[in-house]
Amino acid sequence: MMETLLEPKYIFTFLLMGTIVYITYLSKKNSSASDFFVGGRSFGWFTNGSAIAGDYLSAATFLGLAGLTFSIGYDGAFYTFSFSIGLTLLAIFVAGPLRRFGAYTVADFVAYRFHSKRARLVAVLVVLSISGFYAAPQLLGAAQILSMFFGTSYEFGIIFTCAVMILYVGVGGMKGTTLNQALELWIRLGAFILMVGAAIYGGLHYEKILSAITSFSGSVANTAAFTEDGKDLVANGESWATSGVLTPNFLHTVSLIIGLSLGTIGLPHILLRFYTNPSAKAARKSALMAIGIASVFFLFAVYLGVVGRALFLEGNLNAEVMKNLVTGGDNMVVPSIAEVLGGKWLLGLVIAGAFAAIFSNLSGLFIASSGALAHDLYASFSKKELSQKQRVAAGKVAILILGILYGLLGLLVKEASIGHLVALAFTVAASTFTPIFLFGIWWRGMTEKGAIAGLLVGLIVSMVMIFLSPFLPAALQFKVPGIVTVPIGFLTVYIVSKLDRKVPADVNDFMRKVHSKEREVA
């Protein structure tokens, strides 16, 4: 028993869990709604920039993006870099004004912009929908890691992860969440740096291994024992190095770029992070820092995916690693090649890093969704004025409810791809909140009815394009349907607002508030 617990994967995982518990304990004092939902707006640009990157670089980045490059090559790499555009747009157009606005939740922006409880209610629906799409792949990744490396069942993995989140976010609130996210980011970055260093030291230089992969054509040795038909897998290097899986033509390429790049602007858990900065200037600096960190991660993810492909095609890895690469799917590439490159110790660090990625992203989703339930629904629609203590208590109850709901959702996505599930969350965000925030900050003419119509139409069209894609004409079947859903979201807001013309009377005051440099500290 003791020998098992001294394995690196247990040591690093226990250290991570212990650190989470300790930080959560130190952050347990949340005396006001501001403390619980936005951390008292007290985090500087470095801490919050680290937390934003930690929130953004989820299991899809740490596990899924390298996995996509491993399995589909060029399209996987293109898919990866499409994510990086979004943070840049967010920093330029939204970060500063959003912090000057100052609020607790994403729905607050819509409600205060139009003085509308109806708009708040619709915004809550969209927040929960996007968060659900995003939470599912994180839970999937956690359950797969626990199952593959600790021998637990998939169901146990879901329950364990949700229990950690209930403790993590329910006790620490935004303060504990932010500090844990910042720490967890650097754990992941450290793991990636070590993996890249080990790969280069081992002679796996990019140009060399890329040439070997693209020239490979035929059966992959020693894979038959792990396939359903008992035959070795077949790989074609030429098709791997060209487009055609996710983006078979120009329209699909444009659709992918639109969905992933604009989706970042509409992600509730990322938008919420800018409320935690003390000023608009700090919010912009946080966003710039997150861009730099994310760019490094994306570069490393692509390289490690190529490394994994090269090692796999050689066919001489040990049986356990080959099994993981064949049966674990895209999501297990990084842990598998970590063991090859650095043995049990690097594998242990990568497993801890994967948990850090999952916990970091899930905690952001939990805090954003708890704000939607506790602040936007319960407190805003309550018949009596709630005390600060009651608002915090409502937030903690919301965390418990979300733990149960997300757990049930996680059980339904057992066979899905982490990277693709996240892309769908980005599509919904790009089609709903992105038009609302860009128009809301930069166009005086948006009205309450335009905002509500845009949110509802964007959500419905996204759901139809995602879930009913097989029943649509071939021309409308996209892996990431941003080219259809995003323009519809923007046009709906614009057209309905133009027809409605009931612009809020205080719109000029709102615009001065979010754009005035005199309001750097709020």
Side-chain angles (χ1 to χ4, degrees):
M1 178 65 178
M2 183 57 66
E3 184 178 344
T4 299
L5 293 177
L6 290 178
E7 288 185 28
K9 62 183 179 183
Y10 284 100
I11 292 174
F12 282 116
T13 302
F14 288 151
L15 283 173
L16 173 66
M17 297 302 298
T19 304
I20 287 174
V21 171
Y22 180 66
I23 292 176
T24 301
Y25 174 77
L26 293 179
S27 311
K28 66 180 181 178
K29 187 177 180 181
N30 290 285
S31 57
S32 68
S34 176
D35 287 338
F36 188 82
F37 292 115
V38 293
R41 311 190 198 281
S42 59
F43 296 107
W45 65 269
F46 182 85
T47 301
N48 203 39
S50 298
I52 290 170
D55 214 348
Y56 189 60
L57 300 171
S58 63
T61 304
F62 196 76
L63 300 176
L65 295 182
L68 283 174
T69 304
F70 169 88
S71 62
I72 61 176
Y74 176 87
D75 276 357
F78 181 79
Y79 186 102
T80 299
F81 287 109
S82 294
F83 277 116
S84 63
I85 302 171
L87 279 176
T88 304
L89 296 175
L90 185 63
I92 294 171
F93 295 108
V94 176
L98 189 61
R99 174 58 193 95
R100 292 190 195 99
F101 166 68
Y104 291 151
T105 67
V106 172
D108 273 343
F109 179 89
V110 181
Y112 294 154
R113 176 75 164 77
F114 305 107
H115 311 288
S116 168
K117 286 192 173 184
R118 289 181 300 179
R120 182 188 292 277
L121 196 61
V122 175
V124 168
L125 173 65
V126 178
V127 167
L128 295 177
S129 298
I130 295 171
S131 297
F133 262 117
Y134 220 128
Q138 313 311 317
L139 289 167
L140 166 63
Q144 285 189 338
I145 291 171
L146 282 167
S147 176
M148 188 161 290
F149 296 105
F150 295 93
T152 64
S153 67
Y154 181 84
E155 292 72 19
F156 173 84
I158 297 294
I159 295 170
F160 171 79
T161 307
C162 288
V164 171
M165 284 299 101
I166 291 171
L167 168 69
Y168 182 157
V169 185
V171 175
M174 179 58 89
K175 288 182 179 179
T177 295
T178 300
L179 294 174
N180 275 313
Q181 285 177 329
L183 172 68
E184 289 158 359
L185 167 77
W186 294 106
I187 293 173
R188 278 171 279 163
L189 183 58
F192 260 19
I193 290 172
L194 287 175
M195 288 184 68
V196 170
I200 294 174
Y201 180 78
L204 296 167
H205 303 293
Y206 186 74
E207 184 177 357
K208 173 185 174 182
I209 58 177
L210 187 63
S211 176
I213 293 171
T214 54
S215 61
F216 184 95
S217 181
S219 299
V220 182
N222 299 317
T223 58
F226 313 115
T227 59
E228 292 184 0
D229 60 5
K231 297 179 180 179
D232 283 329
L233 294 176
V234 176
N236 186 301
E238 185 176 344
S239 62
W240 181 88
T242 57
S243 179
V245 180
L246 286 178
T247 56
N249 57 46
F250 178 73
L251 286 180
H252 283 257
T253 302
V254 173
S255 189
L256 182 70
I257 294 173
I258 291 174
L260 298 187
S261 62
L262 293 182
T264 306
I265 299 175
L267 292 175
H269 61 296
I270 302 298
L271 292 168
L272 185 63
R273 292 239 52 95
F274 294 106
Y275 289 147
T276 67
N277 280 117
S279 68
K281 182 178 180 179
R284 289 193 298 271
K285 290 177 73 174
S286 294
L288 290 174
M289 180 180 176
I291 291 169
I293 295 172
S295 298
V296 172
F297 259 87
F298 294 142
L299 179 65
F300 285 175
V302 169
Y303 172 65
L304 291 174
V306 175
V307 168
R309 182 78 174 185
L311 293 173
F312 177 68
L313 293 180
E314 289 178 0
N316 57 8
L317 303 176
N318 69 61
E320 182 181 357
V321 172
M322 291 298 285
K323 178 182 178 182
N324 289 343
L325 289 173
V326 173
T327 63
D330 299 346
N331 307 329
M332 290 299 106
V333 172
V334 170
S336 296
I337 62 174
E339 185 173 2
V340 176
L341 295 173
K344 298 294 184 182
W345 284 99
L346 185 54
L347 172 62
L349 181 60
V350 165
I351 290 172
F355 278 126
I358 291 160
F359 292 160
S360 182
N361 189 258
L362 273 176
S363 62
L365 295 169
F366 267 76
I367 201 74
S369 298
S370 70
L373 291 178
H375 174 74
D376 293 314
L377 285 184
Y378 180 65
S380 298
F381 288 87
S382 177
K383 294 181 180 179
K384 64 177 182 178
E385 182 67 24
L386 300 179
S387 67
Q388 292 296 316
K389 186 176 181 179
Q390 288 174 318
R391 290 172 183 268
V392 173
K396 293 183 177 183
V397 171
I399 295 295
L400 179 60
I401 294 171
L402 289 166
I404 296 171
L405 292 178
Y406 287 161
L408 294 173
L409 187 61
L411 295 174
L412 300 177
V413 295
K414 188 174 182 179
E415 304 300 327
S417 166
I418 291 177
H420 189 58
L421 282 173
V422 169
L424 298 183
F426 271 68
T427 300
V428 177
S431 310
T432 52
F433 279 131
T434 296
I436 299 305
F437 276 87
L438 289 179
F439 275 143
I441 290 172
W442 297 99
W443 182 43
R444 287 176 170 81
M446 187 168 70
T447 69
E448 175 201 12
K449 290 181 180 178
I452 292 174
L455 287 171
L456 289 175
V457 171
L459 179 62
I460 292 169
V461 171
S462 297
M463 294 299 184
V464 169
M465 294 290 291
I466 291 168
F467 290 111
L468 300 181
S469 177
F471 303 100
L472 298 175
L476 294 177
Q477 293 181 15
F478 294 89
K479 292 282 187 179
V480 179
I483 196 170
V484 177
T485 62
V486 175
I488 287 176
F490 274 96
L491 285 172
T492 300
V493 175
Y494 182 79
I495 293 171
V496 174
S497 294
K498 280 293 187 180
L499 293 174
D500 180 31
R501 295 183 179 276
K502 294 180 181 179
V503 179
D506 63 347
V507 65
N508 289 331
D509 293 335
F510 176 86
M511 288 295 177
R512 278 193 293 270
K513 179 178 182 179
V514 299
H515 293 291
S516 174
K517 292 184 179 180
E518 297 176 0
R519 297 187 61 89
E520 281 296 308
V521 179

